[in-house]
């Protein structure tokens, strides 16, 4: 296993503490879940849950593996991580991380105790005129500023954070009450540029982003993965945000889109009100609902 894994448990985990593996989105890193670690400790007590948050291949402190890229690389590495644990973990994934989670559970159902999918893991519509042939164009349209920050350099880590703060969905969080967790996440993404001395860039490797972005939209097994998972008896929660990647009113999912997708009845589907695609995992209102789903699946009270 080559990926770096953040241990986000507050305090020392008890020997019998259940494990949660939290998987970030396409341009994120494991410290995306910094605030979650604090909320879990506040809810259940320090050390009650072992929270592991990997930097996926080509992000943060995880180098790009040699060979083919794409979601199956993450599935393979998660399986390696899960096999080191004393019991199958609950797997939590956001956005692309939810797609990784559901593909992992479909491939290795015995290695997971359940899934919590957050605003991802189910197919969503591709904007008209976009497709697999020009994945950069597709990602620029879908990701907008998140993609632009990967294609430029910055004068300092602070100017990088200022650029992210202009994002309509993330900006309010950068200056919000939990800004220390957001800054921790963003600072982990900043690296000295390997080609421009004195400049700084995102840790995200574009080749990995391109391959993963293509798979999120076109992976041949993703559309059936949730049905495969519930067919294996793995419990699944799906939480979705009503607003989108730019805080626009139309999110990735809505009631009509979920009806079209024919989500299996075994999946517990929950709307998390007053959230967008990012605030659902980077703000307390969003994460409190995530923690509720975790509590139910882990059998924890409090």
């Amino acid at each position: 296993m080559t990926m770096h894994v953040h241990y986000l448990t507050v305090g020392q985990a008890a020997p019998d503490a259940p494990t949660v593996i939290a998987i970030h989105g396409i341009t994120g890193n494991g410290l995306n879940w910094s605030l979650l670690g604090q909320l879990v400790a506040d809810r259940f007590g320090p050390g009650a849950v072992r929270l592991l948050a990997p930097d996926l291949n080509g992000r943060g402190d995880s180098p790009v593996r040699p060979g083919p890229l794409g979601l199956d690389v993450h599935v393979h590495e998660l399986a390696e991580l899960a096999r080191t644990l004393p019991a199958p973990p609950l797997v939590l994934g956001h956005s692309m991380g939810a797609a990784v989670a559901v593909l992992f559970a479909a491939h290795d159902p015995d290695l997971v105790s359940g899934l919590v999918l957050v605003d991802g893991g189910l197919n969503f519509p591709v904007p008209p005129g976009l497709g697999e042939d020009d994945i950069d164009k597709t990602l620029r349209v879908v990701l907008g500023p998140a993609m632009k920050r990967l294609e430029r350099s910055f004068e300092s880590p602070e100017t990088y954070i200022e650029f992210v703060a202009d994002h309509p969905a993330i900006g309010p969080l950068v200056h919000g009450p939990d800004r220390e967790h957001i800054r921790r996440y963003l600072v982990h993404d900043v690296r000295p540029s390997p080609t421009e001395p004195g400049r700084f860039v995102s840790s995200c490797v574009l080749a990995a982003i391109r391959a993963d972005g293509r798979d999120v939209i076109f992976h041949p097994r993703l559309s059936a993965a949730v049905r495969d998972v519930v067919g294996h008896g793995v419990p699944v929660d799906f939480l979705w945000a009503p607003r989108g990647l730019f805080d626009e009113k139309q999110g990735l999912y809505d009631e009509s889109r979920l009806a079209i997708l024919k989500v299996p009845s075994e999946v517990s589907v929950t709307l998390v009100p007053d959230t967008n695609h990012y605030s659902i995992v980077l703000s307390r209102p969003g994460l409190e609902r995530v923690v509720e789903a975790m509590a139910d699946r882990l059998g924890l009270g409090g």
Side-chain angles (χ1 to χ4, degrees), residues 252 279 297:
L252 292 180
S279 66
R297 293 304 174 197

Side-chain angles (χ1 to χ4, degrees), residues 18-20 44 48-49 89-90 113 293-300:
T19 300
V20 174
F44 307 115
V49 176
L90 178 69
S113 65
M294 290 170 52
D296 289 344
R297 293 304 174 197
L298 295 173
L300 297 174

Side-chain angles (χ1 to χ4, degrees), residues 23-249:
I23 311 172
H24 62 76
I26 189 167
T27 64
N29 62 66
L31 292 185
N32 179 108
W33 304 104
S34 174
L35 179 57
L36 176 65
Q38 185 61 59
L39 295 183
V40 167
D42 292 345
R43 172 74 181 270
F44 307 115
V49 176
R50 184 181 297 104
L51 179 59
L52 306 179
D55 290 338
L56 293 181
N57 181 59
R59 286 87 163 170
D61 288 339
S62 293
V64 173
R65 287 173 59 117
L69 298 172
L71 299 188
D72 290 336
V73 172
H74 311 312
V75 168
H76 173 77
E77 294 213 321
L78 286 170
E80 288 189 333
L81 175 59
R83 290 189 180 100
T84 69
L85 301 173
L90 178 69
V91 181
L92 162 66
H94 170 240
S95 192
M96 183 206 79
V100 174
V102 74
L103 287 170
F104 170 42
H107 189 264
D108 292 293
D110 294 338
L111 293 180
V112 302
S113 65
L115 294 182
V116 177
L117 309 176
V118 184
D119 223 37
L122 305 177
N123 284 6
F124 57 87
V126 181
L130 301 179
E132 192 171 4
D133 293 339
D134 190 349
I135 194 63
D136 279 5
K137 179 182 177 183
T138 298
L139 291 176
R140 288 189 192 102
V141 171
V142 173
L143 298 177
M147 187 67 177
K148 288 179 181 178
R149 85 174 196 270
L150 311 186
E151 299 176 321
R152 56 164 293 180
S153 64
F154 300 86
E155 294 178 359
S156 67
E158 193 58 40
T159 57
Y160 169 89
I161 293 172
E162 290 171 1
F163 179 85
V164 176
D166 286 335
H167 192 293
I170 303 175
L173 305 173
V174 176
H175 301 296
D178 293 302
R179 53 188 172 273
E180 72 274 14
H181 293 282
I182 307 301
R183 290 181 66 89
R184 183 186 180 196
Y185 156 56
L186 294 175
V187 167
H188 184 57
D189 187 43
V190 181
R191 297 289 187 275
S193 171
T195 59
E196 299 177 76
R199 304 281 292 184
F200 295 83
V201 295
S202 168
S203 69
C204 296
V205 177
L206 272 173
I209 303 302
R210 291 185 183 107
D212 290 344
R214 181 181 292 109
D215 272 359
V216 167
I217 302 171
F218 302 108
H219 194 290
R221 297 192 304 277
L222 184 56
S223 61
V226 168
R227 286 188 290 275
D228 291 343
V229 169
V230 299
H232 287 296
V234 176
V236 180
D237 287 87
F238 176 75
L239 289 73
W240 60 280
R243 301 198 303 276
L245 281 81
F246 308 104
D247 201 39
E248 72 274 28
K249 291 183 178 181

